[in-house]
């Protein structure tokens, strides 16, 4: 079973939800509703680096309206 | 197809009541009932006052929602007071098992930003910037007004549990108060927690998240019996405690059942019915059938609980009944999806990776945003901005809606219930200057059960290019990893190789590794005398070794707490001496243990 989230050669998006939580996402799959694309498409490591840099506080940070 | 694997919705979706609110309700409803029955009894009113007092002290040292407080106490009543006090202060607790190597404890405390640790008097030393607060059970003045708990939000952290990390550093899973409340609510709705008041024995280590499912029950008004090390490993003592306190529920791993089964089956046959909360590792088919037969005969109930720490303790549950092991259905509130590589639900009966969603999904891995974003991913089925956790567990759905566990998709293993990333042990071995490369596998030894086997290639000696001459031996490596890893992560057998066997893709070919072989027996050191010879025979049998020397070390040969218990039982049968597992630890060398047994025989 090859894993769509663990392909070092793959192309990825970085998604963000209303709580500023981030999700790695395979570029070839449709991003789920409730999420917006914050970065990409980009390589695997570059996407992880983006997340390390932009998501510092893992606790949910509800944006206005939530 | 996915609906099939959802927990039944008994109630309108909504946040479960916070456990500290429920604790206050229990205090008001039954102030004089025992909240803790054993070892030091405390009523609900007393536990309320004790935990409120400690929570005030913690608050004075900065404990508040979002903050982490270390807890480094042995099993006992004070541990319950400490955990509850941390929650009362609104903070999250970080288990720091005093038995772990200090280096690992300090790394975990640093990782979690712990500034205060609740401790025992005789515990390990802490870095200078960490405040150690000893917990005592001095009686609280009966008129001391208990301050109400700090109010928290569902997303505020409840605890951080460190699990083995594949890159060589443990990772801290942070979960929330809302998730724990949801767990308790789900276990109640599924009927796994009984509707009536129960007396609950707490067995699992606090470092192991199954402990939450036991101790947090005090918040719903149940009474706790906290088992100490001797009670949980000596079957007669356990049976005595269960009888004395009328225990209804007990948690254990399948490995632990294997060692306690004789006593527990005898109790069940005598009509003392117990509910077993089995978890931590897959239930072997023979254990499943044995427990199913007991349930069929109306002598005991056993429930198999499955769940990764990342989904807050238990995600699915099954009553142990019928012929074949499975992990049951999702708890109410949990959504389970069995998906293929394109995240599509696989047809029923086909293998896929289990993904879990719902309010029990944890916050993530502390200070590991990239790792968190790669494991806790957008949930395309909810499509509401919530996440699902990729478990790495290969499963298939069954026609009756339950799930069958098939294995791991990666190199994580379970050893006696502990979750271990083999990569972490390998990284630790490779940190030895004499090791160029290391691989660790889980090896099944017919006698001793599952053992970790290490394979390594020596680093080239500086200068003349020779290699093996400088290879560190097993003792050197055991000491090296023993300084940083907890005991359950230490390999039992070390094998030096000239080179790692490789697959065509250039990866280590695990299947081509030789069977692990115990170190050759050096000349001399042959066991002498009746006692040494008999102990050597017992060790050879329980540890699966052909030969034992009189200076052999129990731990170095792969002995562990559950094997120690078997040694104790065998020595009791052969020599009629009553001894504890702890005495085996205190005399790890065979000749020392033999002298100890001789002194016990002489003293009879």
């Amino acid at each position: 079973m090859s894993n769509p989230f663990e392909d070092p050669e793959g192309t990825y998006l970085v998604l963000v939800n209303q709580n500023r939580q981030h999700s790695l996402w395979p570029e070839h799959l449709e991003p789920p509703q409730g999420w917006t694309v914050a970065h990409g498409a980009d390589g695997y490591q570059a996407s992880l680096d983006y997340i390390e840099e932009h998501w510092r506080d893992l606790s949910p940070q509800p944006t206005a309206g939530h | 197809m996915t609906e099939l694997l959802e927990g039944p919705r008994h109630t309108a979706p909504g946040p479960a009541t916070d456990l500290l609110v429920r604790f206050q309700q229990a205090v008001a409803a039954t102030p004089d009932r025992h909240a803790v029955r054993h070892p030091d009894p405390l009523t609900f009113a007393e536990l309320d006052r004790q935990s409120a007092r400690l929570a005030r002290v913690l608050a004075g040292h900065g404990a508040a929602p979002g903050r982490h407080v270390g807890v480094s106490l042995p099993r006992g009543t004070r541990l319950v007071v400490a955990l509850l006090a941390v929650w009362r202060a609104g903070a999250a607790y970080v288990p720091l098992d005093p038995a772990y190597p200090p280096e690992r404890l300090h790394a975990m405390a640093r990782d979690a930003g712990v500034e205060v640790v609740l401790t025992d008097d005789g515990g390990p030393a802490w870095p200078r910037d960490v405040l150690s607060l000893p917990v005592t059970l001095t009686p609280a003045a009966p008129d001391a007004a208990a301050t109400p708990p700090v109010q928290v939000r569902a997303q505020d952290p409840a605890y951080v549990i460190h699990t083995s990390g594949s890159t060589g550093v443990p990772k801290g899973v942070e979960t929330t108060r809302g998730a724990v409340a949801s767990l308790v609510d789900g276990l109640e709705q599924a009927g796994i927690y009984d509707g009536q008041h129960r007396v609950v024995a707490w067995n699992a280590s606090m470092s192991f998240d199954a402990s939450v499912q036991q101790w947090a029950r005090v918040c719903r008004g149940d009474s706790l019996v906290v088992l100490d090390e001797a009670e949980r490993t000596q079957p007669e003592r356990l049976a005595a405690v269960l009888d004395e306190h009328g225990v209804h529920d007990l948690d254990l791993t399948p490995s632990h059942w294997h060692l306690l089964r004789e006593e527990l089956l005898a109790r069940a046959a005598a009509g003392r019915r117990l509910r077993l909360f089995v978890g931590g590792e897959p239930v072997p088919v023979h254990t499943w059938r044995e427990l199913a037969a007991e349930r069929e005969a109306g002598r005991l109930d056993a429930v198999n609980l499955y769940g990764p720490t990342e989904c807050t303790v238990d995600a699915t549950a099954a009553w142990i009944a019928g012929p074949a092991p499975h992990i049951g259905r999702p708890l109410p509130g949990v959504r389970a999806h069995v998906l293929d590589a394109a995240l599509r639900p696989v047809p029923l009966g086909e293998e896929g990776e289990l993904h879990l969603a719902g309010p029990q999904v944890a916050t993530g891995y502390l200070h590991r945003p990239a790792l968190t974003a790669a494991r806790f991913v957008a949930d395309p089925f909810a499509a509401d901005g919530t996440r699902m956790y990729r478990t790495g567990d290969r499963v298939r759905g069954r026609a009756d809606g339950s799930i069958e566990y098939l294995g791991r998709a990666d190199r994580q293993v379970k050893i006696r219930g502990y979750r271990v990333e083999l990569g972490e042990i390998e990284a630790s071995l490779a940190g030895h200057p004499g090791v160029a490369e290391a691989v660790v596998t889980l090896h099944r030894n017919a006698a001793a059960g599952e053992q970790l086997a290490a394979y390594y290639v020596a680093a080239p000696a500086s200068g003349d290019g020779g290699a093996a001459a400088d290879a560190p031996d097993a003792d050197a490596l055991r000491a090296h990893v023993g300084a940083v890893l907890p005991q359950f992560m230490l390999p039992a057998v070390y094998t030096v190789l000239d080179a790692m066997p490789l697959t065509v893709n250039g990866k280590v070919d695990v299947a081509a590794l030789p069977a692990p072989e115990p170190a050759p027996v050096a000349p001399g050191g042959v066991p002498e005398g009746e006692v040494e010879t008999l102990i050597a025979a017992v060790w050879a049998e329980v540890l699966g070794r052909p030969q034992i020397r009189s200076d052999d070390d129990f731990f170095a040969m792969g002995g562990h707490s559950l094997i120690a218990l078997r040694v104790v039982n065998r020595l009791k049968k052969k020599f009629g001496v009553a001894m504890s597992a702890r005495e085996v630890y205190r005399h790890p060398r065979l000749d020392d243990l033999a002298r100890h047994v001789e002194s016990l025989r002489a003293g009879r």
Side-chain angles (χ1 to χ4, degrees), chain A residues 14-60:
Chain A
V14 177
L15 309 182
V16 175
N17 69 6
Q18 71 274 20
N19 289 326
R20 295 222 358 101
Q21 289 167 317
H22 287 52
S23 168
L24 187 69
W25 194 257
E27 191 253 345
H28 65 277
L29 299 178
E30 182 74 18
Q33 276 182 32
W35 295 80
T36 54
V37 178
H39 181 77
D42 208 336
Y44 178 71
Q45 192 55 50
S47 300
L48 295 181
D49 291 345
Y50 174 89
I51 296 164
E52 286 284 330
E53 198 175 318
H54 289 81
W55 190 24
R56 294 290 169 87
D57 185 352
L58 298 196
S59 55

Short mmCIF file of all heavy atoms in Angstrom, two decimals, chain A residues 14-60:
data_model
loop_
_atom_site.label_atom_id
_atom_site.label_comp_id
_atom_site.label_asym_id
_atom_site.label_seq_id
_atom_site.Cartn_x
_atom_site.Cartn_y
_atom_site.Cartn_z
N VAL A 14 -0.29 22.64 0.69
CA VAL A 14 -0.47 22.82 2.13
C VAL A 14 -1.83 23.48 2.31
O VAL A 14 -2.09 24.55 1.74
CB VAL A 14 0.64 23.69 2.75
CG1 VAL A 14 0.36 23.92 4.23
CG2 VAL A 14 2.01 23.04 2.55
N LEU A 15 -2.71 22.80 3.07
CA LEU A 15 -4.06 23.32 3.31
C LEU A 15 -4.14 23.91 4.72
O LEU A 15 -3.44 23.47 5.62
CB LEU A 15 -5.10 22.20 3.18
CG LEU A 15 -5.08 21.34 1.92
CD1 LEU A 15 -6.22 20.32 1.96
CD2 LEU A 15 -5.16 22.20 0.67
N VAL A 16 -5.04 24.87 4.89
CA VAL A 16 -5.27 25.48 6.21
C VAL A 16 -6.78 25.53 6.43
O VAL A 16 -7.55 25.77 5.50
CB VAL A 16 -4.67 26.90 6.26
CG1 VAL A 16 -5.02 27.59 7.58
CG2 VAL A 16 -3.16 26.85 6.11
N ASN A 17 -7.21 25.27 7.70
CA ASN A 17 -8.64 25.35 8.00
C ASN A 17 -8.97 26.59 8.84
O ASN A 17 -8.09 27.44 9.06
CB ASN A 17 -9.12 24.07 8.69
CG ASN A 17 -8.56 23.92 10.11
OD1 ASN A 17 -7.89 24.82 10.64
ND2 ASN A 17 -8.83 22.78 10.72
N GLN A 18 -10.21 26.68 9.31
CA GLN A 18 -10.66 27.88 10.03
C GLN A 18 -9.98 28.05 11.38
O GLN A 18 -10.06 29.11 11.98
CB GLN A 18 -12.19 27.85 10.20
CG GLN A 18 -12.74 26.83 11.18
CD GLN A 18 -12.96 25.45 10.57
OE1 GLN A 18 -12.39 25.10 9.53
NE2 GLN A 18 -13.81 24.64 11.22
N ASN A 19 -9.33 26.98 11.88
CA ASN A 19 -8.61 27.06 13.16
C ASN A 19 -7.11 27.24 12.96
O ASN A 19 -6.33 27.06 13.89
CB ASN A 19 -8.85 25.80 13.99
CG ASN A 19 -10.27 25.75 14.52
OD1 ASN A 19 -10.86 26.78 14.82
ND2 ASN A 19 -10.83 24.55 14.59
N ARG A 20 -6.71 27.56 11.74
CA ARG A 20 -5.30 27.75 11.37
C ARG A 20 -4.51 26.44 11.49
O ARG A 20 -3.28 26.44 11.56
CB ARG A 20 -4.60 28.87 12.18
CG ARG A 20 -5.15 30.24 11.92
CD ARG A 20 -4.12 31.37 11.78
NE ARG A 20 -2.71 31.02 11.97
CZ ARG A 20 -1.87 30.83 10.96
NH1 ARG A 20 -2.25 30.93 9.71
NH2 ARG A 20 -0.61 30.53 11.22
N GLN A 21 -5.20 25.31 11.54
CA GLN A 21 -4.50 24.02 11.51
C GLN A 21 -4.08 23.75 10.07
O GLN A 21 -4.81 24.10 9.13
CB GLN A 21 -5.42 22.91 12.02
CG GLN A 21 -5.66 23.02 13.52
CD GLN A 21 -6.80 22.14 13.99
OE1 GLN A 21 -7.84 22.06 13.35
NE2 GLN A 21 -6.60 21.49 15.14
N HIS A 22 -2.91 23.16 9.90
CA HIS A 22 -2.37 22.89 8.57
C HIS A 22 -2.47 21.40 8.26
O HIS A 22 -2.39 20.56 9.16
CB HIS A 22 -0.90 23.32 8.50
CG HIS A 22 -0.71 24.81 8.47
ND1 HIS A 22 -1.27 25.66 9.39
CD2 HIS A 22 0.01 25.61 7.62
CE1 HIS A 22 -0.93 26.92 9.11
NE2 HIS A 22 -0.14 26.90 8.04
N SER A 23 -2.60 21.10 6.97
CA SER A 23 -2.61 19.71 6.52
C SER A 23 -1.80 19.61 5.23
O SER A 23 -2.00 20.39 4.30
CB SER A 23 -4.05 19.24 6.26
OG SER A 23 -4.04 18.00 5.56
N LEU A 24 -0.91 18.63 5.22
CA LEU A 24 -0.25 18.28 3.96
C LEU A 24 -1.34 17.66 3.08
O LEU A 24 -2.25 16.99 3.60
CB LEU A 24 0.86 17.27 4.26
CG LEU A 24 1.80 16.88 3.12
CD1 LEU A 24 2.69 18.07 2.75
CD2 LEU A 24 2.66 15.68 3.52
N TRP A 25 -1.26 17.84 1.77
CA TRP A 25 -2.30 17.28 0.91
C TRP A 25 -1.73 16.92 -0.47
O TRP A 25 -1.08 17.76 -1.09
CB TRP A 25 -3.46 18.27 0.76
CG TRP A 25 -4.66 17.59 0.18
CD1 TRP A 25 -5.11 17.66 -1.11
CD2 TRP A 25 -5.54 16.68 0.86
NE1 TRP A 25 -6.20 16.86 -1.27
CE2 TRP A 25 -6.50 16.24 -0.07
CE3 TRP A 25 -5.60 16.19 2.17
CZ2 TRP A 25 -7.50 15.34 0.25
CZ3 TRP A 25 -6.59 15.29 2.49
CH2 TRP A 25 -7.54 14.88 1.56
N PRO A 26 -1.95 15.68 -0.94
CA PRO A 26 -1.43 15.31 -2.26
C PRO A 26 -2.08 16.18 -3.33
O PRO A 26 -3.31 16.31 -3.35
CB PRO A 26 -1.84 13.83 -2.41
CG PRO A 26 -2.28 13.39 -1.05
CD PRO A 26 -2.72 14.60 -0.31
N GLU A 27 -1.26 16.74 -4.21
CA GLU A 27 -1.74 17.70 -5.21
C GLU A 27 -2.76 17.05 -6.16
O GLU A 27 -3.67 17.72 -6.63
CB GLU A 27 -0.53 18.25 -5.98
CG GLU A 27 -0.83 19.44 -6.85
CD GLU A 27 -0.83 19.07 -8.33
OE1 GLU A 27 -0.32 17.98 -8.67
OE2 GLU A 27 -1.34 19.87 -9.14
N HIS A 28 -2.62 15.74 -6.42
CA HIS A 28 -3.51 15.10 -7.39
C HIS A 28 -4.90 14.80 -6.83
O HIS A 28 -5.77 14.35 -7.55
CB HIS A 28 -2.87 13.82 -7.95
CG HIS A 28 -2.68 12.74 -6.92
ND1 HIS A 28 -1.60 12.69 -6.07
CD2 HIS A 28 -3.45 11.66 -6.60
CE1 HIS A 28 -1.71 11.63 -5.28
NE2 HIS A 28 -2.82 11.00 -5.57
N LEU A 29 -5.12 15.06 -5.53
CA LEU A 29 -6.46 14.84 -4.96
C LEU A 29 -7.13 16.19 -4.73
O LEU A 29 -6.47 17.18 -4.42
CB LEU A 29 -6.37 14.06 -3.65
CG LEU A 29 -5.75 12.66 -3.72
CD1 LEU A 29 -5.69 12.03 -2.34
CD2 LEU A 29 -6.56 11.76 -4.66
N GLU A 30 -8.46 16.19 -4.85
CA GLU A 30 -9.24 17.41 -4.65
C GLU A 30 -9.17 17.83 -3.17
O GLU A 30 -9.47 17.02 -2.28
CB GLU A 30 -10.69 17.08 -5.02
CG GLU A 30 -11.66 18.22 -4.94
CD GLU A 30 -11.50 19.21 -6.08
OE1 GLU A 30 -10.88 18.86 -7.12
OE2 GLU A 30 -11.97 20.34 -5.92
N PRO A 31 -8.80 19.07 -2.85
CA PRO A 31 -8.80 19.47 -1.43
C PRO A 31 -10.22 19.45 -0.86
O PRO A 31 -11.15 19.89 -1.52
CB PRO A 31 -8.26 20.90 -1.46
CG PRO A 31 -7.59 21.05 -2.78
CD PRO A 31 -8.30 20.14 -3.72
N PRO A 32 -10.39 18.89 0.35
CA PRO A 32 -11.73 18.80 0.94
C PRO A 32 -12.32 20.19 1.22
O PRO A 32 -11.58 21.16 1.44
CB PRO A 32 -11.49 18.07 2.26
CG PRO A 32 -10.19 17.38 2.11
CD PRO A 32 -9.38 18.23 1.19
N GLN A 33 -13.65 20.24 1.26
CA GLN A 33 -14.32 21.48 1.67
C GLN A 33 -13.92 21.84 3.08
O GLN A 33 -13.67 20.97 3.90
CB GLN A 33 -15.83 21.27 1.62
CG GLN A 33 -16.42 21.46 0.24
CD GLN A 33 -17.93 21.28 0.26
OE1 GLN A 33 -18.59 21.59 1.26
NE2 GLN A 33 -18.47 20.76 -0.83
N GLY A 34 -13.92 23.15 3.35
CA GLY A 34 -13.55 23.59 4.69
C GLY A 34 -12.07 23.90 4.81
O GLY A 34 -11.60 24.29 5.88
N TRP A 35 -11.33 23.72 3.72
CA TRP A 35 -9.89 23.98 3.74
C TRP A 35 -9.52 24.88 2.56
O TRP A 35 -10.12 24.79 1.50
CB TRP A 35 -9.10 22.67 3.62
CG TRP A 35 -9.30 21.75 4.79
CD1 TRP A 35 -10.36 20.93 5.01
CD2 TRP A 35 -8.41 21.59 5.90
NE1 TRP A 35 -10.19 20.25 6.20
CE2 TRP A 35 -9.00 20.63 6.77
CE3 TRP A 35 -7.17 22.14 6.26
CZ2 TRP A 35 -8.40 20.23 7.96
CZ3 TRP A 35 -6.57 21.74 7.43
CH2 TRP A 35 -7.19 20.80 8.28
N THR A 36 -8.52 25.74 2.77
CA THR A 36 -8.03 26.56 1.67
C THR A 36 -6.56 26.25 1.43
O THR A 36 -5.85 25.85 2.35
CB THR A 36 -8.19 28.06 1.98
OG1 THR A 36 -7.55 28.32 3.24
CG2 THR A 36 -9.65 28.46 2.08
N VAL A 37 -6.13 26.45 0.21
CA VAL A 37 -4.74 26.17 -0.15
C VAL A 37 -3.87 27.34 0.31
O VAL A 37 -4.09 28.48 -0.08
CB VAL A 37 -4.59 25.96 -1.67
CG1 VAL A 37 -3.13 25.72 -2.03
CG2 VAL A 37 -5.45 24.79 -2.13
N ALA A 38 -2.91 27.05 1.18
CA ALA A 38 -2.03 28.10 1.69
C ALA A 38 -0.71 28.13 0.93
O ALA A 38 -0.02 29.15 0.92
CB ALA A 38 -1.75 27.88 3.17
N HIS A 39 -0.36 27.00 0.32
CA HIS A 39 0.94 26.92 -0.34
C HIS A 39 0.91 25.79 -1.36
O HIS A 39 0.27 24.77 -1.15
CB HIS A 39 2.03 26.65 0.71
CG HIS A 39 3.40 26.56 0.13
ND1 HIS A 39 4.12 27.68 -0.24
CD2 HIS A 39 4.19 25.50 -0.17
CE1 HIS A 39 5.29 27.30 -0.72
NE2 HIS A 39 5.36 25.97 -0.69
N GLY A 40 1.66 25.99 -2.45
CA GLY A 40 1.83 24.90 -3.41
C GLY A 40 1.17 25.21 -4.73
O GLY A 40 0.56 26.26 -4.88
N ALA A 41 1.34 24.27 -5.62
CA ALA A 41 1.95 22.96 -5.45
C ALA A 41 3.47 23.08 -5.28
O ALA A 41 4.10 23.97 -5.84
CB ALA A 41 1.64 22.09 -6.67
N ASP A 42 4.02 22.14 -4.51
CA ASP A 42 5.44 22.17 -4.21
C ASP A 42 5.90 20.74 -3.90
O ASP A 42 5.09 19.83 -3.75
CB ASP A 42 5.68 23.09 -3.02
CG ASP A 42 7.08 23.73 -3.05
OD1 ASP A 42 7.98 23.14 -3.68
OD2 ASP A 42 7.26 24.78 -2.42
N GLY A 43 7.21 20.58 -3.78
CA GLY A 43 7.76 19.26 -3.47
C GLY A 43 7.43 18.85 -2.04
O GLY A 43 6.95 19.67 -1.24
N TYR A 44 7.71 17.60 -1.72
CA TYR A 44 7.39 17.04 -0.40
C TYR A 44 8.12 17.81 0.70
O TYR A 44 7.51 18.37 1.61
CB TYR A 44 7.80 15.56 -0.41
CG TYR A 44 7.59 14.83 0.90
CD1 TYR A 44 6.31 14.52 1.34
CD2 TYR A 44 8.68 14.40 1.65
CE1 TYR A 44 6.11 13.81 2.52
CE2 TYR A 44 8.49 13.69 2.83
CZ TYR A 44 7.21 13.40 3.26
OH TYR A 44 7.03 12.71 4.43
N GLN A 45 9.45 17.87 0.61
CA GLN A 45 10.22 18.51 1.67
C GLN A 45 9.93 20.01 1.73
O GLN A 45 9.82 20.57 2.82
CB GLN A 45 11.73 18.25 1.47
CG GLN A 45 12.57 18.62 2.68
CD GLN A 45 12.10 17.92 3.97
OE1 GLN A 45 11.90 16.70 3.99
NE2 GLN A 45 11.87 18.70 5.04
N ALA A 46 9.78 20.63 0.58
CA ALA A 46 9.50 22.08 0.57
C ALA A 46 8.16 22.36 1.26
O ALA A 46 8.02 23.36 1.98
CB ALA A 46 9.49 22.60 -0.86
N SER A 47 7.19 21.48 1.06
CA SER A 47 5.89 21.67 1.70
C SER A 47 6.01 21.51 3.21
O SER A 47 5.43 22.29 3.98
CB SER A 47 4.87 20.65 1.15
OG SER A 47 4.72 20.82 -0.25
N LEU A 48 6.78 20.50 3.64
CA LEU A 48 6.97 20.30 5.09
C LEU A 48 7.71 21.50 5.68
O LEU A 48 7.39 21.97 6.78
CB LEU A 48 7.75 19.01 5.35
CG LEU A 48 7.04 17.70 4.95
CD1 LEU A 48 7.93 16.51 5.29
CD2 LEU A 48 5.69 17.56 5.67
N ASP A 49 8.70 22.02 4.95
CA ASP A 49 9.45 23.19 5.43
C ASP A 49 8.52 24.40 5.58
O ASP A 49 8.61 25.15 6.55
CB ASP A 49 10.59 23.54 4.47
CG ASP A 49 11.69 22.48 4.49
OD1 ASP A 49 11.70 21.65 5.43
OD2 ASP A 49 12.52 22.47 3.56
N TYR A 50 7.62 24.57 4.60
CA TYR A 50 6.66 25.68 4.67
C TYR A 50 5.84 25.56 5.96
O TYR A 50 5.62 26.53 6.68
CB TYR A 50 5.74 25.67 3.45
CG TYR A 50 4.65 26.70 3.53
CD1 TYR A 50 4.84 27.99 3.04
CD2 TYR A 50 3.43 26.40 4.16
CE1 TYR A 50 3.85 28.95 3.17
CE2 TYR A 50 2.44 27.36 4.29
CZ TYR A 50 2.66 28.63 3.79
OH TYR A 50 1.67 29.59 3.94
N ILE A 51 5.38 24.33 6.25
CA ILE A 51 4.54 24.12 7.45
C ILE A 51 5.33 24.43 8.72
O ILE A 51 4.84 25.11 9.62
CB ILE A 51 3.99 22.67 7.47
CG1 ILE A 51 3.05 22.44 6.28
CG2 ILE A 51 3.27 22.38 8.78
CD1 ILE A 51 2.76 20.98 5.99
N GLU A 52 6.57 23.96 8.78
CA GLU A 52 7.41 24.22 9.97
C GLU A 52 7.54 25.73 10.20
O GLU A 52 7.56 26.19 11.34
CB GLU A 52 8.81 23.61 9.80
CG GLU A 52 8.86 22.09 9.93
CD GLU A 52 8.77 21.58 11.37
OE1 GLU A 52 9.22 22.29 12.29
OE2 GLU A 52 8.23 20.48 11.56
N GLU A 53 7.63 26.46 9.11
CA GLU A 53 7.87 27.89 9.22
C GLU A 53 6.60 28.67 9.56
O GLU A 53 6.64 29.66 10.28
CB GLU A 53 8.45 28.39 7.90
CG GLU A 53 9.13 29.73 8.02
CD GLU A 53 9.78 30.10 6.68
OE1 GLU A 53 10.39 29.20 6.05
OE2 GLU A 53 9.66 31.27 6.28
N HIS A 54 5.45 28.21 9.02
CA HIS A 54 4.23 29.02 9.14
C HIS A 54 3.25 28.56 10.18
O HIS A 54 2.27 29.23 10.46
CB HIS A 54 3.52 29.10 7.78
CG HIS A 54 4.26 29.93 6.79
ND1 HIS A 54 5.32 29.43 6.07
CD2 HIS A 54 4.13 31.23 6.44
CE1 HIS A 54 5.79 30.39 5.29
NE2 HIS A 54 5.09 31.48 5.49
N TRP A 55 3.43 27.37 10.75
CA TRP A 55 2.47 26.87 11.75
C TRP A 55 3.22 26.66 13.04
O TRP A 55 3.68 25.57 13.33
CB TRP A 55 1.83 25.58 11.25
CG TRP A 55 0.67 25.11 12.08
CD1 TRP A 55 -0.13 25.85 12.89
CD2 TRP A 55 0.18 23.76 12.18
NE1 TRP A 55 -1.09 25.07 13.48
CE2 TRP A 55 -0.93 23.78 13.05
CE3 TRP A 55 0.56 22.55 11.61
CZ2 TRP A 55 -1.65 22.64 13.38
CZ3 TRP A 55 -0.16 21.41 11.92
CH2 TRP A 55 -1.27 21.45 12.80
N ARG A 56 3.33 27.70 13.83
CA ARG A 56 4.15 27.63 15.03
C ARG A 56 3.36 27.12 16.24
O ARG A 56 3.88 26.41 17.07
CB ARG A 56 4.76 29.01 15.35
CG ARG A 56 5.76 29.47 14.30
CD ARG A 56 7.02 28.62 14.38
NE ARG A 56 7.90 28.83 13.25
CZ ARG A 56 8.83 29.80 13.20
NH1 ARG A 56 8.98 30.61 14.20
NH2 ARG A 56 9.59 29.92 12.13
N ASP A 57 2.10 27.54 16.35
CA ASP A 57 1.29 27.17 17.52
C ASP A 57 0.25 26.15 17.08
O ASP A 57 -0.67 26.47 16.33
CB ASP A 57 0.62 28.42 18.09
CG ASP A 57 -0.13 28.11 19.38
OD1 ASP A 57 -0.24 26.90 19.74
OD2 ASP A 57 -0.60 29.05 20.02
N LEU A 58 0.42 24.91 17.54
CA LEU A 58 -0.45 23.83 17.08
C LEU A 58 -1.85 23.87 17.68
O LEU A 58 -2.76 23.21 17.18
CB LEU A 58 0.18 22.46 17.38
CG LEU A 58 1.51 22.15 16.72
CD1 LEU A 58 1.78 20.66 16.79
CD2 LEU A 58 1.56 22.61 15.28
N SER A 59 -2.04 24.63 18.76
CA SER A 59 -3.37 24.66 19.35
C SER A 59 -4.31 25.40 18.39
O SER A 59 -3.89 26.33 17.71
CB SER A 59 -3.35 25.32 20.73
OG SER A 59 -2.79 26.60 20.63
N PRO A 60 -5.57 24.95 18.34
CA PRO A 60 -6.49 25.57 17.38
C PRO A 60 -6.63 27.07 17.65
O PRO A 60 -6.76 27.48 18.81
CB PRO A 60 -7.82 24.85 17.65
CG PRO A 60 -7.48 23.64 18.45
CD PRO A 60 -6.21 23.93 19.17
#
